[in-house]
Amino acid sequence: MCTAATYKTADFYFGRTLDYEFSYGDEVTVTPRNYPLTFRHASAVSTHYAIIGMAHVAGDYPLYYDAFNEKGLCMAGLNFVGNASYQKPQEDHDNIAQFEFIPWILSQCASVKEARIRLAQMVLTDTPFNEQFAPAQLHWILADKNECIVIEPMADGLHIYDNPVGVLTNNPPFPQQLFSLNNYMNLSPKQPQNTFSADLPLTTYSRGMGALGLPGDLSSASRFARVAFTKSNARSGASELESVSQFFHILGSVDQQRGCCEVSDEKYEITLYTSCCNADKGIYYYTTYENHQITAVDMNRENLDGETLSRFPLVQGEQIRWEN
């Protein structure tokens, strides 16, 4: 289970949590402009936009979980189990396997507006990466500084929704998630007024009671509401440090701790990593479950005209700053 969000101050930020019970061996991976990207049913792309993101690299192919390109277009795939459905390749369409979707879009599109044109001609296929990696059941959030959309492949076709909240979690489908926010329209960062009864002398007894009723459990619907509220009311300075710090606090509202979500005997879903991308400056920030110190990789410090992947294994283990 995962949560993704956008955030805007002076720059545009995008990121996500990846919540799971184990890691495949994730690395921050830079795909330079001249790294050849091959696709199972479409023509290879030899020259393209540079991409940076979190990926599991298998057979020298970057299987991105979330990424953005040098133009500031951002994309992340999140679990959509039980609803995601892929098709067989079709003639007269761009047939793209599920695992190719992020590099296919980010290598060729500079904006959501351009991506919409590609999506109109695309079929997401059920082609597996190999025998070990079956197609993951996902839906995607795609965003730039101007707009945000959600892409959901379902049995009745590919659905594309405008996302005015700039947040995505997992099930149910996005229209239901968005509609559920009606349940919380009374929430406020301000202290509530007594509208219950004029005959009762009701008063607030704690700070923060304007948000009473905001769900605190770990379900995807509750995480959607919680991050939507947190993001909508988040305030920070416009500097890079203030913005990045605030973004991690926004996603920190849905951080999953080991032991709270048991998926099988003695196996627990945790927040393996949290990312924050400055899509304007090309910087990928992250923390991990065992390392709360923010680590950064700047794509512009790599040879973006190169032909090989740049890979950065995640920094694990707490990094504690001693002061005495």
Side-chain angles (χ1 to χ4, degrees), residues 55-288:
H56 168 62
V57 180
D60 210 33
Y61 196 94
L63 301 172
Y64 279 113
Y65 308 136
D66 56 275
F68 66 101
N69 66 20
E70 61 183 293
K71 296 297 183 180
L73 183 62
C74 311
M75 192 172 184
L78 288 78
N79 270 344
F80 195 45
V81 177
N83 280 308
S85 180
Y86 307 116
Q87 302 179 48
K88 299 297 181 183
Q90 300 178 18
E91 292 185 3
D92 301 323
H93 286 78
D94 292 322
N95 294 292
I96 303 302
Q98 166 268 318
F99 65 87
E100 303 168 335
F101 192 23
I102 290 179
W104 187 74
I105 288 290
L106 296 187
S107 64
Q108 303 174 82
C109 300
S111 64
V112 172
K113 183 178 179 181
E114 289 185 13
R116 288 180 188 271
I117 298 171
R118 294 277 183 176
L119 292 170
Q121 299 297 321
M122 186 200 71
V123 169
L124 268 178
T125 75
D126 59 1
T127 309
F129 179 73
N130 58 27
E131 293 180 356
Q132 287 73 42
F133 292 117
Q137 297 185 60
L138 305 176
H139 59 175
W140 289 264
I141 181 171
L142 180 67
D144 59 27
K145 63 183 178 181
N146 296 314
E147 59 179 322
C148 178
I149 62 174
V150 171
I151 304 155
E152 295 188 335
M154 301 180 71
D156 60 346
L158 193 68
H159 298 266
I160 301 172
Y161 304 105
D162 292 333
N163 184 348
V165 185
V167 175
L168 185 65
T169 57
N170 311 106
N171 288 318
F174 182 71
Q176 294 168 247
Q177 296 272 37
L178 195 60
F179 181 82
S180 72
L181 296 184
N182 288 291
N183 296 327
Y184 310 105
M185 63 187 299
N186 64 305
L187 300 189
S188 169
K190 300 180 182 298
Q191 289 292 79
Q193 301 295 316
N194 177 17
T195 59
F196 185 88
S197 172
D199 299 326
L200 296 174
L202 303 179
T203 61
T204 58
Y205 55 84
S206 170
R207 291 181 177 181
M209 291 182 66
L212 201 64
L214 185 67
D217 64 87
L218 298 177
S219 68
S220 55
S222 293
R223 284 184 283 108
F224 182 87
R226 194 153 70 254
V227 171
F229 177 82
T230 305
K231 177 201 163 180
S232 296
N233 293 287
R235 300 291 182 270
S236 73
S239 73
E240 182 72 352
L241 292 180
E242 291 170 299
S243 301
V244 170
S245 175
Q246 184 72 321
F247 189 89
F248 277 104
H249 282 297
I250 291 169
L251 287 184
S253 67
V254 291
D255 197 44
Q256 295 205 32
Q257 299 78 31
R258 182 177 285 114
C260 294
C261 180
E262 187 173 22
V263 295
S264 60
D265 289 344
E266 299 301 315
K267 291 186 178 180
Y268 303 97
E269 184 170 275
I270 62 173
T271 299
L272 294 172
Y273 74 83
T274 303
S275 65
C276 168
C277 310
N278 184 321
D280 293 324
K281 291 185 170 65
I283 304 172
Y284 190 100
Y285 301 93
Y286 72 88
T287 61
T288 68

Side-chain angles (χ1 to χ4, degrees), residues 320-324:
I320 297 175
R321 177 180 174 181
W322 291 89
E323 291 200 332
N324 66 358

